[in-house]
Amino acid sequence: MTHRGSRVLHVGSLSRVEGEGALRLSVHDGAVTEAQLNIYEPPRFFEALLRGRAHTEPPDITARVCGICPVAYQLSACAAVEDACGVRVPEEIGALRRLLYCGEWIESQALHIYLLHAPDFLGCDGAIDLARTRRADVERGLRLKQAGNALLELLGGRAIHPVNVRLGGFHRAPTRAELRPLAERLARALDDAWDTVRWVAGFDFPDAEVDADFLALAAPGTYAIESGTPAVLRSDGSFNTFPLYDFPLRVREEQVPHSTALHSRLDGRRHLTGSLARFAISGRWLSRTAVEAARAAGLGDPYDGVACRNPYRSILVRAVEIVYAVGEALRIIETYEPPSRPCVEVPPVAGTGHGATEAPRGLLYHRYALAADGTVTDALLVPPTAQNQGAIEDDLRRTATRAIAGADLSDAELTDLCERTIRNHDPCISCSTHFLDLTVVRTNGGTDA
């Protein structure tokens, strides 16, 4: 800490959020005038790495972007390249992809709820601390994560960076006999998922509301996961959709001085993608069981088109999505018929393709331009966290301002509040586990304090 005209607080790295970053808050006359979420990890240049590669390679290369949600990158890449080549996979392969994605949803949402987010509501420093007093709860979360990992291992070949996914489908499709033990395990996991909903419904949730438009994929008749059309629910309640190929025109990225990650705006406005957006836009298409879970969680009736804008309550939506993903996996397994071939050929064609899926943290967009021989000439990846940064900074600014106005918070208390506010949005900055270094600059009446 220094005292040369201002008070600067440096907080050590924080676990329970993926990635490394810093936050700078400027407080003037009791109000937060600036909140900068500084992602300072060096750029990884995946888009540059993809240029010059064969059109069959993006699924394997982009899976390495994230160890938490590699399936999201693989299937978004497959969708974009297949779109460029004018290929649509058969329904049986599409169902297997959705099943694989359910596995990622289960393991990722369970990880966030139990190991990253729940400790905030229970006064614990982390999952280890939580396990000392609530061992059964943590074990339940680990069982759910293991159930999701089991799906990834069978369909993907391994739980992290799966190797069985390929352009046009899979290298190998499972047999019905191989899926049967998974169905038995998932049936038990459904009980754990329901217990998760009941557990998090008992948490105390501060009053809060995020001021941003919602963006998520929509696929009428089903809860969008592996495909859909971009849909926007404005903060004023208006609703519209747009073609996926318009995504780069509607969601514009820009570099900001305080972050190595790009910031995005939807039609020039702040927007938020992820569980809250999905629930608001597609909640009516949840399964009957998941709708019952939403009601039990106190989220209201999705059939009425309810929208939850309280970021603290996002943990409830994630719990409901686990119920949905487990049930959806069971449904797909029950009706599964192995495809005649595990993949279809995707011959190269000169053109541009677009793909998007719903990663656990939100809409993930890929675009690839291909030469006639299939060489990737251009690539664009827009991850959820890059889209959400503006909304997160605004949420931090408003949350900290309200808290400061209501109490004389110390730097430690303000740090804790900011960390919790960020974790509500579950940003995936990278695959590491350390996150926040906080700088607070306080001034009073034009004089540093």
Side-chain angles (χ1 to χ4, degrees):
M1 183 174 292
T2 64
H3 297 278
R4 288 177 290 181
S6 64
R7 184 166 61 172
V8 180
L9 173 66
H10 294 283
V11 179
S13 57
L14 167 73
S15 62
R16 294 196 282 131
V17 179
E18 293 85 355
E20 294 182 351
L23 173 68
R24 179 183 177 89
L25 287 183
S26 296
V27 182
H28 179 73
D29 284 343
V32 177
T33 58
E34 183 180 64
Q36 292 183 344
L37 182 57
N38 173 11
I39 293 176
Y40 55 78
E41 291 187 357
R44 300 166 71 197
F45 303 115
F46 268 89
E47 290 155 326
L49 290 172
L50 288 162
R51 291 198 291 270
R53 308 304 291 256
H55 75 301
T56 56
E57 295 185 83
D60 286 324
I61 292 175
T62 61
R64 272 65 182 175
V65 171
C66 182
I68 304 298
C69 48
V71 170
Y73 282 90
Q74 288 185 314
L75 295 191
S76 295
C78 285
V81 175
E82 289 161 6
D83 179 56
C85 297
V87 172
R88 296 190 65 178
V89 300
E91 184 177 339
E92 297 86 354
I93 292 177
L96 272 182
R97 284 178 168 178
R98 188 173 177 87
L99 179 61
L100 177 67
Y101 221 138
C102 284
E104 182 159 280
W105 269 33
I106 295 165
E107 65 85 13
S108 180
Q109 301 289 44
L111 181 151
H112 171 78
I113 290 171
Y114 283 91
L115 304 185
L116 306 182
H117 206 182
D120 284 337
F121 296 94
L122 300 171
C124 298
D125 291 333
I128 301 299
D129 189 23
L130 183 63
R132 293 190 180 100
T133 57
R134 296 175 178 267
R135 182 183 180 92
D137 292 326
V138 174
E139 288 178 345
R140 180 174 60 244
L142 293 177
R143 284 196 304 270
L144 277 170
K145 191 176 188 312
Q146 289 164 355
N149 284 347
L151 269 173
L152 297 178
E153 289 166 2
L154 178 60
L155 273 70
R158 61 189 185 191
I160 299 176
H161 306 322
V163 293
N164 191 37
V165 176
R166 56 158 290 171
L167 200 63
F170 296 83
H171 291 288
R172 177 185 179 276
T175 65
R176 287 183 59 84
E178 288 173 320
L179 287 176
R180 194 173 301 117
L182 274 182
E184 297 170 358
R185 185 169 190 170
L186 288 167
R188 296 190 296 270
L190 188 57
D191 292 334
D192 284 334
W194 263 103
D195 286 341
T196 300
V197 171
R198 299 184 185 100
W199 185 55
V200 298
F203 294 169
D204 291 328
F205 300 101
D207 291 330
E209 185 171 301
V210 65
D211 181 21
D213 297 336
F214 283 156
L215 173 64
L217 295 179
T222 188
Y223 201 69
I225 298 178
E226 83 290 357
S227 63
T229 299
V232 182
L233 179 63
R234 300 288 188 194
S235 54
D236 63 8
S238 60
F239 178 84
N240 68 83
T241 62
F242 60 87
L244 185 57
Y245 57 75
D246 276 349
F247 189 93
L249 301 176
R250 303 290 296 272
V251 178
R252 307 303 293 264
E253 295 183 298
E254 62 180 14
Q255 185 70 61
V256 294
H258 60 272
S259 179
T260 56
L262 298 176
H263 276 214
S264 302
R265 283 185 174 268
L266 171 63
D267 299 330
R269 297 159 58 94
R270 287 187 302 272
H271 71 286
L272 191 70
T273 186
S275 293
L276 291 181
R278 284 193 296 262
F279 182 74
I281 289 172
S282 296
R284 69 191 64 188
W285 302 115
L286 286 167
S287 63
R288 181 174 300 179
T289 299
V291 167
E292 293 173 0
R295 293 169 180 158
L299 289 168
D301 193 335
Y303 291 145
D304 293 335
V306 298
C308 174
R309 289 189 167 273
N310 185 335
Y312 290 97
R313 293 167 67 85
S314 64
I315 193 171
L316 295 171
V317 181
R318 292 186 177 98
V320 170
E321 288 189 333
I322 294 179
V323 171
Y324 177 77
V326 172
E328 184 70 351
L330 285 167
R331 182 193 66 80
I332 295 171
I333 291 173
E334 182 180 355
T335 60
Y336 175 68
E337 291 294 338
S340 58
R341 293 184 299 160
C343 66
V344 296
E345 294 302 317
V346 185
V349 175
T352 299
H354 309 260
T357 68
E358 282 289 339
R361 289 166 181 84
L363 193 156
L364 169 63
Y365 170 81
H366 286 214
R367 183 191 69 199
Y368 299 102
L370 307 180
D373 65 353
T375 300
V376 177
T377 59
D378 189 42
L380 174 65
L381 280 62
V382 184
T385 295
Q387 298 179 64
N388 290 343
Q389 282 184 83
I392 294 173
E393 287 183 344
D394 181 67
D395 195 18
L396 281 164
R397 185 164 45 247
R398 291 186 296 111
T399 298
T401 295
R402 287 196 305 269
I404 292 170
D408 184 18
L409 294 183
S410 66
D411 285 343
E413 291 170 326
L414 186 57
T415 298
D416 183 68
L417 175 67
C418 290
E419 292 173 346
R420 185 174 180 182
T421 300
I422 292 169
R423 277 193 291 266
N424 286 337
H425 299 281
D426 193 22
C428 189
I429 293 175
S430 76
C431 303
S432 64
T433 58
H434 298 294
F435 177 67
L436 187 63
D437 181 45
L438 176 66
T439 298
V440 181
V441 178
R442 298 179 186 268
T443 61
N444 185 18
T447 302
D448 293 337

